[in-house]
Amino acid sequence: MNDALRCFHCHNPVPSNVDIRIQVNGESKPVCCHGCEAVARLVMDGGLEQFYQFREGELEQPDTLSPEDEAKLSVFDRPDILNRLSGQLDQDKRRIQLSIEGITCAACVWLLEQFVRKLDGVDEFWVNLTTHRAELVWAPQKTRLSTILKAINSIGFNAFPYSASQEEKQLQEQQKKTLIRLGIAGIGMMQNMMLAIPSYFGLLEDTQQMIDLFRYISLLVALPVVLYSAQPFFSAALRDLKLRHLTMDVPVAIAIGIAYLSSAWITVFGGKEVYYDSVCMFTFFLLLGRYLESLARVTAARTNSTLQGKAPVFIYRLTGKEDDSVEMVPVDDLQVGDLIRLKPGDFIPVDGTIVQGSSKVNNAALTGEFIPQPCSEGGKVLSGSVNIENSITVRVDALDQDSHLSTINRLVDRALQDRPRLSTLADRIASFFVAGVLMTATVVGLVWWQIDPEHAFAVMLSVLVVTCPCALSLATPTALTVATTALRQSGFVLSRGHVLETLAKATHFVFDKTGTLTQGELTVASVDNLSGDANEALLAIAGALEWESPHPVAKAFRPFASGPAHNVTQYPGQGISGEVSGQVYRLGSAAFCQLDQKKEEPVDDPYQRIYLSRGQQLIAIFQLSDTLRTGALDAVKTLQERGLKVSMLTGDSSSHVESIAQSVGISNVSKSLTPEQKLDQARHWQQSGDTVVMVGDGINDVPAMAGSHLSIAMQNASDLTQIKADAVILNTDLNTLVFALEKARSTFRVIRQNLTWALVYNLIALPLAAAGYIAPWAAAIGMSVSSLIVVLNALRLSGSRK
């Protein structure tokens, strides 16, 4: 150690082999480690330089990891481990999810985000308050992952790469510890209440020796409650005070600490009242509230770990030999393009395409649909589903971070990180409320010191306890976590935080037709051949044009093609053009094929008609048929019964549009629309005062979806549509949308109830406590009951659709 140099941040000696400096007001200052460097930069950049003016003595060394812990963290820097845990965004950046321990409120989230974003190499860092998970985007070439994890550890939190099973295990361990703390606090509460009852009823007034004996016993009974059960509150409060950032743990720790210490003083030196029962009661009910709140996070973690826990460790991979022999290999060794053999009952660990065989696949864990879906050669299977009937051979298309299951989980996490306006407002109110509670308790204590010094402390303690903002902090995140998990289990995935809030106040639902109100599984019913070519040749040309198109219409023609066309150009909402055998063809609407509009289909034609032209000559008209999507009729009817407007916007120009609209009961229909016209119509409704929800599945729906208040993509939508959408329906049942609407309304009804209750309770309890009408033990019960009501009310949202 070089005692001549002391760390600018923690004021501890700087090791002789360390030379790290920061610039402070133009001067170079030494720091002892990168943890202190990061914290000091955060303090200086945040304009909190006064921290160093008021610092007294040395701070705790931030780098407290043991060599064993550092060795464990360094494992995450290995390329093979890093590739398995994180996803590659581009050449320089990777994305990973982290689980973080030690978060207690929104202030912790703010501190973590501000701190980590300042670290070298970090591009993005978002923390989810409800699940205690974070999403990190960083450049491994600039900063190792272990360095970032150590830096997070340096400010009092514990971070490690997210694993659903590991997170559930961690949460269960935390719950076990909480239950032990809760049990000790409960025993202490009961014993102290038993010892306090004689004093409350004046049964020991004439026996001071018995009073002293009961007080000393209460002191000893409450000691493990304070030292062990309440330890999380003291640790969090100490961390927050060091970082000069108030959270609700600060007034909690102050109330418990001062009440116990003052009671101990009175026990030893004499005085009128002790508060051991209030201390134990306050600690017990606070821990009970946090335990119930953590149940929501355990349920969310279990949803993911249940899927990952079913994933096999080994799988059969085809060796590539002519006899179709297989070898058993670890799932982690699979590569994109490998062929794997799945037997009936096997969990599917990857996204892939069936290349041999046919079976049925159960997607219940992904979509909430319990009826197995048939699949055959060329069909897609998704990670998280289960093969049911027959053995199939599957080509691996995506692994781990790139799989459908990982994508869905990222969408959910992004929604919970992007908190709605009401949640952000509650967090902001709670942070100011903490400062208000401390100042109010101080002022009340000073006033009572002038009025009645003997009761001043008891009244101040009651104010501090009764107004603790625990219920306010729990009101929103608990409800959002429970509702999001229930929706995820039912096949409705949120990818933006505003979804529930916007859906709850929606007034106008707008549907695309093909692939949204209908199955989107079009088939060629007949061919009106206007050329000398065979029908098979005409279908092959149409299939070649649609070879790579994501539109549902393409699926009807693609099986007839032997290969793709050349120089293909797509015209969203109109059609597609390209070259086949050196000739230019157009496939789409009559207008797109430059035909006379009078040649459109008859008004009563139940089919969707697609035109094929060669040059300026019409050579074929294909009649396509489609069927209504499951639940479409019921969903539209229910929405209309709720008093909501329902419309259809489609680029289809056939009379099939009117047929579908009439089948589901939609009267407001616009057809033959380009993507721009769909967007203009959606904006027109918005300008008229409607809150517009657009439900679609195609690329031509993306502009209108992006321009609406809320966009929802179907499970068969293109990747671009799903990425741009605010929510995705993973199953084929449109009734899922109605369930989501009801759940959204229920969620914000519960949130408003919780916030109203928390605020009204504090407005009523504060004057009573300040006037001396609420004893500290009663204040503990009142505050705790308030928090429990909020949590239990939120847990009512846990029901999922069956």
Side-chain angles (χ1 to χ4, degrees):
M1 296 289 182
N2 185 356
D3 291 335
L5 286 179
R6 288 191 173 271
C7 177
F8 172 73
H9 174 70
C10 69
H11 212 60
N12 284 286
V14 177
S16 57
N17 60 339
V18 173
D19 183 21
I20 306 173
R21 292 180 172 270
I22 63 171
Q23 295 296 318
V24 180
N25 298 327
E27 296 183 24
S28 178
K29 300 289 185 181
V31 289
C32 65
C33 64
H34 289 292
C36 278
E37 177 190 18
V39 175
R41 291 187 187 281
L42 176 62
V43 171
M44 302 302 293
D45 293 344
L48 302 175
E49 297 89 343
Q50 67 270 24
F51 168 79
Y52 299 108
Q53 298 174 13
F54 296 101
R55 174 188 57 199
E56 296 181 3
E58 298 179 356
L59 299 177
E60 182 181 349
Q61 284 278 12
D63 191 7
T64 57
L65 289 175
S66 65
E68 182 181 355
D69 290 334
E70 289 202 16
K72 289 180 180 178
L73 291 181
S74 64
V75 171
F76 298 129
D77 297 325
R78 285 173 41 184
D80 57 332
I81 301 296
L82 202 59
N83 288 335
R84 188 168 55 186
L85 295 175
S86 62
Q88 188 80 39
L89 290 183
D90 52 39
Q91 216 170 19
D92 301 323
K93 297 176 183 176
R94 301 190 72 88
R95 176 196 284 116
I96 192 171
Q97 284 193 345
L98 303 176
S99 293
I100 301 182
E101 297 177 346
I103 296 175
T104 58
C105 65
C108 300
V109 171
W110 178 89
L111 174 64
L112 277 163
E113 290 179 345
Q114 297 302 314
F115 172 73
V116 177
R117 288 171 187 170
K118 302 292 183 183
L119 298 177
D120 186 41
V122 174
D123 189 62
E124 295 179 19
F125 186 74
W126 298 97
V127 181
N128 184 337
L129 173 61
T130 51
T131 62
H132 295 188
R133 293 207 299 270
E135 184 167 306
L136 170 69
V137 177
W138 89 108
Q141 294 83 356
K142 293 183 179 180
T143 304
R144 292 181 299 177
L145 178 60
S146 62
T147 302
I148 297 174
L149 298 179
K150 291 175 188 176
I152 294 174
N153 179 274
S154 73
I155 58 171
F157 300 91
N158 182 28
F160 49 89
Y162 165 73
S163 164
S165 57
Q166 181 66 20
E167 183 187 54
E168 185 184 8
K169 181 180 178 181
Q170 291 282 347
L171 287 172
Q172 288 176 342
E173 289 178 357
Q174 290 178 20
Q175 281 194 312
K176 187 182 297 182
K177 289 181 179 179
T178 302
L179 278 175
I180 296 173
R181 297 184 197 275
L182 191 62
I184 292 174
I187 294 172
M189 177 184 69
M190 290 186 291
Q191 294 298 320
N192 271 300
M193 284 298 295
M194 180 183 70
L195 293 167
I197 286 175
S199 297
Y200 289 149
F201 290 96
L203 302 179
L204 301 175
E205 289 183 355
D206 299 329
T207 54
Q208 186 61 42
Q209 289 182 339
M210 291 299 295
I211 291 176
D212 292 340
L213 176 61
F214 276 34
R215 286 181 175 179
Y216 275 105
I217 295 174
S218 297
L219 184 150
L220 294 175
V221 171
L223 185 61
V225 176
V226 174
L227 295 182
Y228 181 72
S229 296
Q231 185 268 335
F233 305 121
F234 290 114
S235 298
L238 184 62
R239 178 197 66 210
D240 297 334
L241 289 174
K242 282 183 177 180
L243 298 171
R244 303 180 67 82
H245 198 76
L246 293 177
T247 70
M248 73 175 186
D249 289 306
V250 174
V252 167
I254 290 175
I256 294 173
I258 291 180
Y260 183 79
L261 292 176
S262 66
S263 298
W265 177 275
I266 292 171
T267 299
V268 176
F269 297 103
K272 188 173 182 180
E273 294 182 9
V274 293
Y275 310 102
Y276 298 116
D277 54 336
S278 299
V279 168
C280 295
M281 195 178 300
F282 189 38
T283 304
F284 173 79
F285 282 114
L286 275 174
L287 289 172
L288 180 60
R290 289 196 175 182
Y291 175 76
L292 291 177
E293 183 267 339
S294 70
L295 288 177
R297 290 192 287 117
V298 171
T299 301
R302 189 173 291 124
T303 300
N304 293 333
S305 65
T306 298
L307 292 177
Q308 293 189 4
K310 293 178 180 178
V313 177
F314 296 93
I315 200 162
Y316 288 104
R317 180 175 64 185
L318 272 68
T319 61
K321 297 179 181 179
E322 293 183 359
D323 59 355
D324 285 342
S325 59
V326 295
E327 58 180 347
M328 183 176 286
V329 299
V331 172
D332 291 341
D333 289 351
L334 290 178
Q335 302 291 328
V336 173
D338 285 349
L339 298 179
I340 60 175
R341 182 70 51 79
L342 296 170
K343 296 181 295 183
D346 282 352
F347 181 93
I348 302 175
V350 298
D351 291 355
T353 302
I354 299 176
V355 296
Q356 184 179 352
S358 62
S359 184
K360 286 187 177 181
V361 173
N362 188 335
N363 295 315
L366 295 174
T367 67
E369 288 183 314
F370 291 91
I371 300 177
Q373 303 297 311
C375 55
S376 56
E377 290 185 19
K380 299 287 186 180
V381 293
L382 302 175
S383 58
S385 53
V386 179
N387 181 31
I388 298 298
E389 285 189 346
N390 308 309
S391 294
I392 52 176
T393 301
V394 174
R395 182 183 66 245
V396 177
D397 295 336
L399 298 161
D400 296 334
Q401 296 291 325
D402 299 321
S403 69
H404 176 77
L405 181 58
S406 295
T407 301
I408 294 303
N409 289 333
R410 280 199 298 271
L411 291 178
V412 174
D413 290 333
R414 183 172 69 180
L416 289 172
Q417 290 162 7
D418 182 19
R419 294 188 294 275
R421 180 182 54 82
L422 193 57
S423 176
T424 305
L425 178 62
D427 292 343
R428 193 158 50 243
I429 292 174
S431 63
F432 285 112
F433 205 89
V434 172
V437 166
L438 296 175
M439 289 188 292
T440 302
T442 303
V443 171
V444 169
L446 292 174
V447 171
W448 270 88
W449 185 262
Q450 302 298 322
I451 299 173
D452 185 358
E454 288 189 3
H455 292 90
F457 181 76
V459 174
M460 183 184 71
L461 184 61
S462 295
V463 170
L464 193 62
V465 171
V466 83
T467 57
C468 181
C470 298
L472 193 62
S473 297
L474 294 172
T476 304
T478 307
L480 290 176
T481 301
V482 173
T484 301
T485 303
L487 287 171
R488 165 69 179 84
Q489 293 171 335
S490 300
F492 188 90
V493 172
L494 287 66
S495 65
R496 294 290 190 275
H498 70 89
V499 172
L500 289 174
E501 190 171 13
T502 306
L503 191 58
K505 61 182 181 182
T507 60
H508 198 151
F509 283 79
V510 182
F511 293 91
D512 177 44
K513 180 183 72 69
T514 306
T516 302
L517 287 172
T518 66
Q519 294 284 3
E521 296 293 334
L522 295 168
T523 57
V524 179
S526 63
V527 180
D528 188 0
N529 193 333
L530 304 178
S531 70
D533 301 327
N535 286 354
E536 292 76 9
L538 296 173
L539 288 168
I541 293 170
L545 293 172
E546 298 280 17
W547 183 266
E548 295 180 346
S549 173
H551 196 279
V553 169
K555 296 181 181 179
F557 295 105
R558 200 176 296 135
F560 300 101
S562 58
H566 301 287
N567 300 322
V568 174
T569 303
Q570 294 192 43
Y571 301 85
Q574 301 178 61
I576 191 169
S577 67
E579 293 183 12
V580 178
S581 300
Q583 298 194 64
V584 178
Y585 292 88
R586 282 182 170 239
L587 182 72
S589 66
F592 175 71
C593 292
Q594 301 175 354
L595 304 174
D596 186 351
Q597 289 292 333
K598 294 181 181 179
K599 292 184 179 180
E600 281 281 8
E601 67 271 18
V603 175
D604 296 329
D605 192 341
Y607 298 110
Q608 180 173 350
R609 295 160 69 92
I610 303 296
Y611 296 82
L612 177 66
S613 66
R614 180 167 51 214
Q616 300 296 319
Q617 180 183 2
L618 176 66
I619 59 175
I621 303 175
F622 303 103
Q623 284 84 29
L624 306 183
S625 62
D626 195 2
T627 58
L628 280 180
R629 180 179 292 276
T630 304
L633 177 60
D634 292 338
V636 171
K637 181 180 179 181
T638 303
L639 291 175
Q640 291 172 338
E641 289 175 349
R642 299 288 191 277
L644 302 171
K645 301 176 184 177
V646 180
S647 302
M648 181 197 295
L649 299 180
T650 179
D652 189 2
S653 59
S654 69
S655 62
H656 191 239
V657 173
E658 285 81 5
S659 175
I660 293 296
Q662 185 176 6
S663 299
V664 296
I666 297 178
S667 57
N668 188 7
V669 179
S670 298
K671 66 178 186 178
S672 303
L673 298 180
T674 64
E676 292 76 15
Q677 290 173 328
K678 287 186 178 183
L679 175 59
D680 291 341
Q681 185 63 67
R683 285 178 172 170
H684 171 71
W685 286 324
Q686 287 177 317
Q687 292 169 0
S688 301
D690 287 341
T691 299
V692 177
V693 177
M694 178 71 190
V695 187
D697 73 304
I699 293 178
N700 59 327
D701 298 319
V702 170
M705 294 172 71
S708 300
H709 290 102
L710 178 64
S711 57
I712 300 175
M714 301 303 298
Q715 102 286 354
N716 57 314
S718 64
D719 291 341
L720 175 62
T721 308
Q722 292 194 15
I723 291 172
K724 294 293 184 182
D726 299 317
V728 181
I729 297 177
L730 295 180
N731 54 42
T732 60
D733 190 353
L734 265 181
N735 280 315
T736 304
L737 176 62
V738 177
F739 174 76
L741 172 65
E742 298 298 334
K743 185 66 71 174
R745 290 180 170 181
S746 299
T747 300
F748 275 84
R749 186 163 54 247
V750 165
I751 289 175
R752 284 192 293 269
Q753 290 170 355
N754 285 350
L755 292 176
T756 300
W757 163 255
L759 292 173
V760 169
Y761 160 77
N762 279 283
L763 290 175
I764 294 174
L766 176 58
L768 293 175
Y773 290 111
I774 300 179
W777 64 268
I781 293 178
M783 182 285 308
S784 305
V785 169
S786 175
S787 299
L788 289 175
I789 289 174
V790 163
V791 172
L792 293 174
N793 192 35
L795 290 176
R796 293 192 300 115
L797 297 167
S798 59
S800 60
R801 185 173 67 94
K802 300 301 183 183

